[in-house]
Each structure stands twice: as C-alpha cells, then as structure tokens.
Amino acid sequence: MSERTHEMNVFLQEIKEKLKDEPKLYSLFETCFTNTLERTIRRYEDGTSFVITGDIPAMWLRDSAAQVRPYLYLAARDSELADMIEGLVKRQFSCILIDPYANAFNEKPDGSCWEKDFEDQDPGVWERKYEIDSLCYPIQLAYFLWKLTGRTAHFDETFRKGVNAILKVFRTEQYHEEKSSYHFTRHSLYSESLSRGGKGALVNDGCGLIWSGFRPSDDACDLGYLIPSNMFASVVLGYLSEIAREVLHDEELAKEAAAFSKEVHDAIEANAVASLQGFGRVYAYETDGFGQCRFMDDANVPSLLAQTYLGYEGDPEVTANTRRFLLSEANPYYYEGTAASGIGSPHTPTSYIWHIALAVQGMTETSKEEKYRILKLMAATDDNKGMMHEGFDKNDPSHYTREWFSWANAMYAEMVLNYLGYGLDV
C-alpha cells in the first residue's frame, strides 16, 4: 500500500495549517506519518496486511501495531486505512497461531531468521523471543479499531483461537518454573540469552505476575517479571473482556479476562512497589517476586514512563514518584547531554537517547509548553535526515543507530498529533 488516500491528503493539509508557523515540524511530520504507508505495508488479495519494521524485512507483532497506530486517528473517515489495519490484525493473529512464543515473523514461510535458535523453528518465524508485549499489541490494535470505527469483522475465528492461545501462554507463564518448557539461548550475544541454560532467573511461581523472557528491546529480562509488560497485559485483558461481552457475546470469556486483568493488576501493586531512597515508593522495572527488584527504565514501549500512555491506572503517588525517578540520573539509562536529555536503552550504546522515549515523555506530559519543547527537541535531533532514528548521542545527534526505523517515525507522528490535541478517544 503506497498511495496516499484523498482523506489522508486532506488530513495532511489540516495538520500543515495548524503548524504553519513550524515548517520543520510539519515537514518531518509528513515524512514520518506517510513513511510506514509508503514503504513498509504490503497488502494481499486475501485482505491481510504485512508490515516490515523498516531496515529489517520481518514483521514484529509489537512494532507493526505501533507503526500503524497514527492511522487510527484517520480510520473512522478513511475506509482504505481501516481496511489496511483490519488486514494487519488478521495477519497478526494468524502469526500468533503459528507460534504464540514468537515475536517476529516472515512474509513467507521461507525459513528466514535473525539467527537459527531452534532446530525445529517454524519457517514462518523470524525470531522466537517470548515477550508479553508481543501478545498485547494485537489485542490493543483490534480493540482500538473496533472502538474507533465500529468494525467487528476482525473478531473472527482466527481471533478467537489466537486469544485462547494468548491466554494459555499467559497462564502457563504465571507458573514458569513449574509448567513452562520455554527456553532461549543465543550464543552470539550474552544480552540475548536467558540464564540457567535458557530457563531464565528463578522467579516466584504463582505470585500473580506473568513471566517474560524478553523486554520490548528484545534484550533478555534479568529478573523475569517485567512490570511495564504486566501493566500492559492487565490493560489489554480488560479490553478483551469488553470485546468478549459486547462483540463475541461470550460471557465466560468476558468474566475470565476481567478476573485475569484484576489478578495481574493486584500482583503488580503487591510485588512491584518498593521504596527508593530520595523518591519514595516507586514501581520497579523488573522483579523476581521474591523481593529482588531492578530500578530502571528502557526506551522501548511498554516502559514505566509509558504507564499512562498504555492506560494502566496505578497508585497516583507511586506513579508520580516513579516518573520523577525515571527522568533523573538516578535511572541508569537517563542521559543528560549538550544536545538533549532523555531515556536510552542497554540495547544501544551508552549515552544514546531514543526518539521513542522522547515521544512517550512528551505524550505523557500535562503541560502543552513541555510537549512543545520535546517536539522541538525531537525535530532538532534528526541530523537533518527528515526521519527519526533509534538512538542518538546525547552530545552529537549525527551519531545515531538505525537510519530507518519506522516505529520511531510513527511515534514522532503521534507526538505531533498529541501536541495538537488529537486523541484516540476509546
């Protein structure tokens, strides 16, 4: 899908008028907003859509949902965009049925992969890193499409089977030690291998939290219970309950999903809140359920910084304290430099700030002045390339990772829309 629709052109003109005094912000917006449509989306005769992540030819469940998220703002008035998103949801749930533990998939079952990690890896799987968020994003996208357009065709039999597969994985991984056979070892990078022969660090089975092998950065978890991803799971299980009740007319599933959502929420509040000197009670990034915690944040979403962006309602005081910690140098991945300050990731070089994290920071700010400052900062750190990058040096934005990263472009576009007062009212 490479053609801009009439509705998109009208929308772009609308945004251009609103940003008439900010030509750089608009120029960057137009490029970032249309980039995913023009360069990453492939439509098929069966109505499905495949979305590559950018400079890698595979489709990540997480990235693909985030890449098309800005188009949700137009979906109610643009049937072609809505068709494309509907097709992506259908493709995502088909992929989940191939392997619910996989995070990224091939366009064709040709055996392409990042690395051959499993002898029996399905030829349709690009990478088999189990990440909670990979199973959350497709539900979120399906829910938003329904709420914003009224469409329900994507809630088909494949969706039902996919949801059952997701619930089975989540329930199994609440008892990772006892019930899960999942393991992952990659010898080329220590940051992408789980400890204990691929089983991962010992966790407290049955505490209510869901175990995750990997973070949304695709780096291995240190302590097993990744709190931002559990927050996301709690939210989307609530979405699933609403879908089950109002669309699928499955009261049993609705009650199960609602109870599961509350169970995870309660487990987060019971196991992931601890006192941190100088900040009070905060949410941990990871915990093992035994009391050991990791205090940090990573630029990739879901993150602790993205808590309100994801829709997780926690203790307001703990949420505020956590944000204050995350945007300070007490967070080991918060960097202050001469060009910018913001959150980076152990996935990229030290002192590299991510545009995705800046977008999340801006969209979760309450002050329009602060949103504007962050938006200008994002535009000033593109190294005049006209697109966002993955990470860039805090002192020199000409040093960056990933020339073309569609997810980051989508986040800039969404940040602009957020600043201008557009919202996903679901």
Side-chain angles (χ1 to χ4, degrees):
M1 183 175 184
S2 60
E3 297 294 326
R4 300 186 190 185
T5 64
H6 170 72
E7 290 79 4
M8 179 176 287
N9 285 328
V10 171
F11 185 66
L12 288 171
Q13 192 59 41
E14 181 182 312
I15 302 302
K16 187 175 184 179
E17 178 62 24
K18 291 178 183 291
L19 293 175
K20 60 185 177 182
D21 297 326
E22 296 286 355
K24 171 71 183 285
L25 295 186
Y26 174 74
S27 175
L28 192 54
F29 172 80
E30 182 177 359
T31 301
C32 289
F33 186 76
T34 59
N35 175 265
T36 291
L37 184 73
E38 295 175 347
R39 296 185 64 189
T40 72
I41 297 173
R42 293 156 188 174
R43 298 297 312 281
Y44 294 93
E45 290 185 2
D46 64 0
T48 65
S49 311
F50 188 88
V51 183
I52 64 170
T53 188
D55 53 6
I56 301 173
M59 183 176 83
W60 266 252
L61 294 176
R62 169 190 57 252
D63 292 39
S64 59
Q67 285 168 254
V68 304
R69 181 170 164 129
Y71 302 134
L72 287 167
Y73 291 80
L74 262 178
R77 48 175 156 157
D78 190 327
S79 60
E80 288 187 49
L81 282 179
D83 287 346
M84 178 273 292
I85 296 170
E86 181 181 305
L88 175 58
V89 172
K90 290 180 177 180
R91 185 67 176 252
Q92 288 175 329
F93 278 90
S94 294
C95 288
I96 288 168
L97 291 180
I98 292 173
D99 186 346
Y101 278 93
N103 58 319
F105 296 84
N106 296 318
E107 187 172 4
K108 299 176 181 178
D110 58 9
S112 297
C113 58
W114 182 266
E115 197 165 319
K116 188 73 172 179
D117 299 302
F118 297 87
E119 286 297 323
D120 59 349
Q121 185 164 306
D122 190 282
V125 170
W126 172 267
E127 192 171 55
R128 194 176 190 260
K129 289 179 176 176
Y130 163 59
E131 303 164 354
I132 293 173
D133 66 276
S134 294
L135 299 176
C136 292
Y137 268 103
I139 296 175
Q140 183 201 57
L141 185 62
Y143 177 81
F144 281 175
L145 180 63
W146 165 50
K147 298 297 284 187
L148 292 166
T149 69
R151 291 184 176 222
T152 58
H154 52 293
F155 296 128
D156 55 13
E157 188 61 25
T158 300
F159 176 85
R160 287 174 179 265
K161 290 179 179 178
V163 162
N164 287 333
I166 291 169
L167 291 174
K168 182 178 180 180
V169 168
F170 282 175
R171 284 301 189 191
T172 298
E173 297 306 332
Q174 282 186 302
Y175 295 87
H176 178 69
E177 287 297 315
E178 177 187 346
K179 298 181 179 180
S180 178
S181 61
Y182 179 81
H183 67 281
F184 192 100
T185 302
R186 178 173 289 174
H187 299 291
S188 59
L189 278 174
Y190 80 92
S191 62
E192 297 186 21
S193 265
L194 297 174
S195 61
R196 292 196 302 152
K199 183 74 172 177
L202 182 68
V203 291
N204 185 16
D205 269 7
C207 71
L209 295 170
I210 303 168
W211 181 87
S212 186
F214 293 84
R215 301 168 178 170
S217 62
D218 297 336
D219 289 336
C221 291
D222 288 336
L223 297 180
Y225 294 136
L226 181 58
I227 299 309
S229 290
N230 272 268
M231 289 176 170
F232 197 15
S234 177
V235 171
V236 299
L237 286 166
Y239 293 161
L240 178 58
S241 177
E242 190 176 342
I243 293 166
R245 180 168 289 111
E246 297 190 20
V247 181
L248 303 179
H249 306 297
D250 186 337
E251 192 60 29
E252 182 179 350
L253 177 60
K255 289 180 178 178
E256 178 187 0
F260 201 172
S261 172
K262 184 178 185 303
E263 181 182 344
V264 175
H265 184 283
D266 291 348
I268 292 168
E269 300 302 314
N271 293 280
V273 178
S275 294
L276 192 62
Q277 187 173 4
F279 297 95
R281 296 168 68 244
V282 302
Y283 289 111
Y285 183 72
E286 290 177 354
T287 182
D288 60 2
F290 292 114
Q292 187 175 199
C293 294
R294 182 83 186 270
F295 296 102
M296 56 165 280
D297 205 18
D298 186 280
N300 291 267
V301 183
S303 61
L304 289 175
L305 189 66
Q307 177 189 330
T308 55
Y309 171 76
L310 296 171
Y312 180 82
E313 296 183 8
D315 183 306
E317 181 181 355
V318 177
T319 299
N321 290 345
T322 304
R323 184 179 183 85
R324 189 162 53 89
F325 158 65
L326 299 177
L327 298 176
S328 77
E329 288 191 304
N331 171 10
Y333 298 103
Y334 180 82
Y335 306 119
E336 293 185 353
T338 56
S341 298
I343 295 175
S345 171
H347 193 68
T348 46
T350 301
S351 298
Y352 272 45
I353 296 164
W354 281 45
H355 282 125
I356 287 176
L358 288 173
V360 170
Q361 182 181 342
M363 286 189 282
T364 53
E365 289 284 352
T366 56
S367 162
K368 188 163 186 179
E369 291 73 21
E370 184 62 8
K371 289 178 185 289
Y372 177 70
R373 183 192 71 79
I374 293 171
L375 195 56
K376 293 283 283 186
L377 179 61
M378 293 179 72
T381 52
D382 73 334
D383 192 37
N384 295 314
K385 294 295 190 291
M387 291 195 292
M388 296 288 98
H389 306 301
E390 184 183 51
F392 64 91
D393 188 282
K394 66 179 183 179
N395 298 316
D396 185 355
S398 69
H399 296 157
Y400 57 83
T401 58
R402 299 189 75 168
E403 183 87 25
W404 178 34
F405 189 23
S406 181
W407 182 13
N409 287 333
M411 293 296 285
Y412 173 81
E414 192 175 357
M415 175 64 203
V416 169
L417 296 175
N418 178 276
Y419 168 71
L420 293 177
Y422 293 87
L424 293 177
D425 299 321
V426 295

